[in-house]
């Protein structure tokens, strides 16, 4: 009996690694065009810095928020990539800032695009 899970998981991990590279660079540049191609039309975008507020819903709401000059990306200070964890239809990216605060960004996928995004912040 051949092991199909191993090779399939390897290719899935490579695909998510490529995706994470595009995702990180698009957000660092706040490249709205690229970001819009990486998310589902009905994206649910939770911002760590706006925990009390409702998530941004849909591409148009997300792009409107990005165009606002007061928009602040909640991972702007998280400059050190510490790791990636992959699972079925999920990617978790672990970042750290200069002060040692940990930021864990969780991306859930539907049909190859991000459908839900959340960030958790952990003090050092």
């Amino acid at each position: 009996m051949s092991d199909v899970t191993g090779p399939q998981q390897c290719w899935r991990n490579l695909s998510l690694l490529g995706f994470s590279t595009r995702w990180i660079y698009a957000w660092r540049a706040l490249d709205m065009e690229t970001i819009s191609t990486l998310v589902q039309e009905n994206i649910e975008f939770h911002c760590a810095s706006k925990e009390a507020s409702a998530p941004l819903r849909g591409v148009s709401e997300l792009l409107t928020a990005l165009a606002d000059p007061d928009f602040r990306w909640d991972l702007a200070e998280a400059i050190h990539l510490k790791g990636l964890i992959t699972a079925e239809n999920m990617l978790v990216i672990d970042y750290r800032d200069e002060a040692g605060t940990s930021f864990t960004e969780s991306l859930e996928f539907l049909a190859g695009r991000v459908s839900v995004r959340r960030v958790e912040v952990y003090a050092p």
Side-chain angles (χ1 to χ4, degrees):
M1 187 164 155
S2 66
D3 179 44
V4 293
T5 305
Q8 287 177 344
Q9 186 62 44
C10 181
W11 284 112
R12 184 178 299 121
N13 289 350
L14 287 173
S15 177
L16 288 173
L17 180 61
F19 177 91
S20 65
T21 301
R22 290 193 320 270
W23 179 263
I24 291 166
Y25 280 107
W27 278 98
R28 296 280 159 114
L30 286 179
D31 178 350
M32 290 190 270
E33 183 177 336
T34 300
I35 291 168
S36 68
T37 67
L38 298 175
V39 300
Q40 284 284 331
E41 185 60 40
N42 61 348
I43 178 77
E44 185 177 297
F45 193 89
H46 298 262
C47 298
S49 58
K50 300 179 181 182
E51 288 182 38
S53 67
L56 300 171
R57 296 188 189 277
V59 173
S60 62
E61 194 171 312
L62 176 59
L63 296 180
T64 299
L66 291 176
D68 184 333
D70 293 329
F71 177 81
R72 178 164 163 71
W73 181 44
D74 49 15
L75 296 176
E77 303 300 320
I79 59 173
H80 302 290
L81 177 62
K82 291 297 185 181
L84 301 172
I85 301 169
T86 61
E88 187 72 28
N89 298 321
M90 184 166 225
L91 173 65
V92 178
I93 307 172
D94 184 30
Y95 305 90
R96 297 273 191 287
D97 67 9
E98 290 294 340
T101 302
S102 175
F103 302 83
T104 302
E105 183 176 28
S106 301
L107 308 174
E108 295 177 32
F109 292 88
L110 180 64
R113 291 184 174 188
V114 177
S115 61
V116 178
R117 183 264 191 183
R118 292 182 178 86
V119 171
E120 299 291 331
V121 181
Y122 304 94

